[in-house]
PDB file of all heavy atoms in Angstrom:
ATOM      1  N   LEU A  56      79.730 124.276  74.752  1.00 65.00           N
ATOM      2  CA  LEU A  56      80.001 123.357  75.856  1.00 65.00           C
ATOM      3  C   LEU A  56      79.918 121.931  75.333  1.00 65.00           C
ATOM      4  O   LEU A  56      79.322 121.045  75.952  1.00 65.00           O
ATOM      5  CB  LEU A  56      79.016 123.580  77.007  1.00 65.00           C
ATOM      6  CG  LEU A  56      79.114 124.922  77.728  1.00 65.00           C
ATOM      7  CD1 LEU A  56      78.071 125.026  78.817  1.00 65.00           C
ATOM      8  CD2 LEU A  56      80.515 125.120  78.321  1.00 65.00           C
ATOM      9  N   GLY A  57      80.525 121.718  74.182  1.00 87.00           N
ATOM     10  CA  GLY A  57      80.525 120.408  73.554  1.00 87.00           C
ATOM     11  C   GLY A  57      81.732 119.575  73.946  1.00 87.00           C
ATOM     12  O   GLY A  57      82.651 120.044  74.614  1.00 87.00           O
ATOM     13  N   VAL A  58      81.710 118.315  73.536  1.00 93.00           N
ATOM     14  CA  VAL A  58      82.788 117.382  73.869  1.00 93.00           C
ATOM     15  C   VAL A  58      84.067 117.783  73.137  1.00 93.00           C
ATOM     16  O   VAL A  58      84.084 117.910  71.912  1.00 93.00           O
ATOM     17  CB  VAL A  58      82.400 115.946  73.486  1.00 93.00           C
ATOM     18  CG1 VAL A  58      83.556 114.991  73.778  1.00 93.00           C
ATOM     19  CG2 VAL A  58      81.153 115.509  74.239  1.00 93.00           C
ATOM     20  N   ARG A  59      85.108 118.006  73.907  1.00 93.00           N
ATOM     21  CA  ARG A  59      86.416 118.331  73.333  1.00 93.00           C
ATOM     22  C   ARG A  59      87.442 117.232  73.602  1.00 93.00           C
ATOM     23  O   ARG A  59      88.408 117.096  72.873  1.00 93.00           O
ATOM     24  CB  ARG A  59      86.928 119.652  73.926  1.00 93.00           C
ATOM     25  CG  ARG A  59      85.998 120.835  73.696  1.00 93.00           C
ATOM     26  CD  ARG A  59      86.507 122.067  74.422  1.00 93.00           C
ATOM     27  NE  ARG A  59      85.552 123.173  74.336  1.00 93.00           N
ATOM     28  CZ  ARG A  59      85.692 124.336  74.964  1.00 93.00           C
ATOM     29  NH1 ARG A  59      86.748 124.550  75.729  1.00 93.00           N
ATOM     30  NH2 ARG A  59      84.773 125.286  74.838  1.00 93.00           N
ATOM     31  N   GLU A  60      87.209 116.482  74.683  1.00 95.00           N
ATOM     32  CA  GLU A  60      88.193 115.474  75.070  1.00 95.00           C
ATOM     33  C   GLU A  60      87.484 114.273  75.683  1.00 95.00           C
ATOM     34  O   GLU A  60      86.534 114.431  76.452  1.00 95.00           O
ATOM     35  CB  GLU A  60      89.178 116.067  76.071  1.00 95.00           C
ATOM     36  CG  GLU A  60      90.336 115.167  76.431  1.00 95.00           C
ATOM     37  CD  GLU A  60      91.347 115.853  77.338  1.00 95.00           C
ATOM     38  OE1 GLU A  60      91.091 117.015  77.727  1.00 95.00           O
ATOM     39  OE2 GLU A  60      92.369 115.229  77.659  1.00 95.00           O
ATOM     40  N   VAL A  61      87.939 113.058  75.328  1.00 96.00           N
ATOM     41  CA  VAL A  61      87.415 111.822  75.905  1.00 96.00           C
ATOM     42  C   VAL A  61      88.566 111.120  76.615  1.00 96.00           C
ATOM     43  O   VAL A  61      89.514 110.638  75.971  1.00 96.00           O
ATOM     44  CB  VAL A  61      86.800 110.900  74.831  1.00 96.00           C
ATOM     45  CG1 VAL A  61      86.309 109.602  75.480  1.00 96.00           C
ATOM     46  CG2 VAL A  61      85.652 111.599  74.110  1.00 96.00           C
ATOM     47  N   ASP A  62      88.509 111.087  77.945  1.00 97.00           N
ATOM     48  CA  ASP A  62      89.551 110.433  78.747  1.00 97.00           C
ATOM     49  C   ASP A  62      89.104 109.018  79.099  1.00 97.00           C
ATOM     50  O   ASP A  62      87.901 108.747  79.266  1.00 97.00           O
ATOM     51  CB  ASP A  62      89.817 111.215  80.032  1.00 97.00           C
ATOM     52  CG  ASP A  62      90.471 112.566  79.754  1.00 97.00           C
ATOM     53  OD1 ASP A  62      91.097 112.708  78.686  1.00 97.00           O
ATOM     54  OD2 ASP A  62      90.331 113.479  80.595  1.00 97.00           O
ATOM     55  N   VAL A  63      90.073 108.123  79.211  1.00 98.00           N
ATOM     56  CA  VAL A  63      89.792 106.716  79.520  1.00 98.00           C
ATOM     57  C   VAL A  63      90.637 106.298  80.715  1.00 98.00           C
ATOM     58  O   VAL A  63      91.842 106.566  80.762  1.00 98.00           O
ATOM     59  CB  VAL A  63      90.103 105.803  78.313  1.00 98.00           C
ATOM     60  CG1 VAL A  63      89.833 104.344  78.665  1.00 98.00           C
ATOM     61  CG2 VAL A  63      89.262 106.219  77.103  1.00 98.00           C
ATOM     62  N   ALA A  64      90.007 105.633  81.680  1.00 98.00           N
ATOM     63  CA  ALA A  64      90.713 105.150  82.875  1.00 98.00           C
ATOM     64  C   ALA A  64      90.322 103.703  83.145  1.00 98.00           C
ATOM     65  O   ALA A  64      89.243 103.251  82.756  1.00 98.00           O
ATOM     66  CB  ALA A  64      90.366 106.022  84.087  1.00 98.00           C
ATOM     67  N   GLY A  65      91.208 102.971  83.830  1.00 97.00           N
ATOM     68  CA  GLY A  65      90.897 101.613  84.274  1.00 97.00           C
ATOM     69  C   GLY A  65      91.261 100.503  83.315  1.00 97.00           C
ATOM     70  O   GLY A  65      91.058  99.323  83.634  1.00 97.00           O
ATOM     71  N   THR A  66      91.791 100.814  82.154  1.00 97.00           N
ATOM     72  CA  THR A  66      92.116  99.763  81.194  1.00 97.00           C
ATOM     73  C   THR A  66      93.374  99.014  81.613  1.00 97.00           C
ATOM     74  O   THR A  66      94.290  99.581  82.224  1.00 97.00           O
ATOM     75  CB  THR A  66      92.318 100.347  79.790  1.00 97.00           C
ATOM     76  OG1 THR A  66      93.305 101.374  79.833  1.00 97.00           O
ATOM     77  CG2 THR A  66      91.025 100.922  79.252  1.00 97.00           C
ATOM     78  N   VAL A  67      93.413  97.732  81.268  1.00 95.00           N
ATOM     79  CA  VAL A  67      94.578  96.895  81.532  1.00 95.00           C
ATOM     80  C   VAL A  67      95.104  96.316  80.221  1.00 95.00           C
ATOM     81  O   VAL A  67      96.220  96.595  79.800  1.00 95.00           O
ATOM     82  CB  VAL A  67      94.244  95.763  82.525  1.00 95.00           C
ATOM     83  CG1 VAL A  67      95.472  94.886  82.778  1.00 95.00           C
ATOM     84  CG2 VAL A  67      93.729  96.332  83.837  1.00 95.00           C
ATOM     85  N   GLU A  68      94.288  95.517  79.587  1.00 94.00           N
ATOM     86  CA  GLU A  68      94.657  94.931  78.297  1.00 94.00           C
ATOM     87  C   GLU A  68      94.175  95.796  77.124  1.00 94.00           C
ATOM     88  O   GLU A  68      94.818  95.856  76.087  1.00 94.00           O
ATOM     89  CB  GLU A  68      94.078  93.521  78.165  1.00 94.00           C
ATOM     90  CG  GLU A  68      94.581  92.541  79.221  1.00 94.00           C
ATOM     91  CD  GLU A  68      96.070  92.243  79.103  1.00 94.00           C
ATOM     92  OE1 GLU A  68      96.609  92.402  77.993  1.00 94.00           O
ATOM     93  OE2 GLU A  68      96.676  91.852  80.115  1.00 94.00           O
TER      94      GLU A  68
END
Side-chain angles (χ1 to χ4, degrees):
L56 294 179
V58 177
R59 302 175 186 175
E60 186 175 3
V61 178
D62 292 337
V63 179
T66 55
V67 179
E68 299 294 336

